[in-house]
């Protein structure tokens, strides 16, 4: 008789879903899937790697400012802002330096976009209207 059991990963995923809402509930809809595919097709390289002179394939679309389930932050408020709202991103950047920048920004009450510029993950002129700061982390 076969032993049927859920993998630990699926159990972990279900627990995470209960905590933060499922992917669909957090805004990752069919519309998002379509957008993300098109965005990666026209922006195939990781933006954060590119800024640091590395060439890596983008594997996902990163919300530069984390939305944390906030629908108002999920999509740009004005059309045409996609290029400064999202970044094509490799998993290594997403789970490493980008994650750390988000945590640091949240902990210190700073704009994550300025943190990313200071950490040279985005070019200084990436956000045309965002004043950059010169202080060190
Ligand atoms: Zn990268």
């Amino acid at each position: 008789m076969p032993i049927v059991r859920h993998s630990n990963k699926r159990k972990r995923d279900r627990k995470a879903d209960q905590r933060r809402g499922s992917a669909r509930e957090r805004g990752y809809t069919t519309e998002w899937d379509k957008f993300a595919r098109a965005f990666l097709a026209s922006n195939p390289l990781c933006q954060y790697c590119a800024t640091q002179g590395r060439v890596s394939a983008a594997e996902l679309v990163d919300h530069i400012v984390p939305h944390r389930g906030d629908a108002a932050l999920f999509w740009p408020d004005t059309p045409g802002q996609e290029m400064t709202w999202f970044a094509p991103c490799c998993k290594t950047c997403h789970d490493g330096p980008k994650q750390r920048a988000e945590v640091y920004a949240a902990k210190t009450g700073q704009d994550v976009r300025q943190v990313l510029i200071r950490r040279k993950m985005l070019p200084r002129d990436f956000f045309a209207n965002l004043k950059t700061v010169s202080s060190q982390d």
Side-chain angles (χ1 to χ4, degrees), residues 34-101:
K34 255 176 81 177
F35 166 77
R37 263 197 306 277
F39 188 83
L40 290 177
S42 37
N43 304 281
L45 298 180
C46 173
Q47 173 66 57
Y48 303 126
C49 283
T51 307
Q52 301 187 348
R54 294 188 306 270
V55 176
S56 310
E59 297 162 274
L60 53 94
V61 179
D62 179 48
H63 283 80
I64 295 175
V65 175
H67 61 88
R68 304 192 197 289
D70 182 345
L73 289 177
F74 196 92
W75 293 105
D77 37 19
T78 9
Q81 275 191 325
E82 286 79 9
M83 291 312 296
T84 52
W85 202 267
F86 304 111
C89 188
C90 73
K91 284 204 177 91
T92 305
C93 284
H94 184 259
D95 298 345
K98 175 59 175 12
Q99 198 83 273
R100 287 193 293 277

Side-chain angles (χ1 to χ4, degrees), residues 8-19:
N8 284 334
K9 185 181 184 312
R10 277 183 51 193
K11 232 181 257 173
R12 265 200 320 274
D13 287 351
R14 261 202 319 274
K15 276 202 178 134
D17 281 355
Q18 283 167 8
R19 202 170 49 241

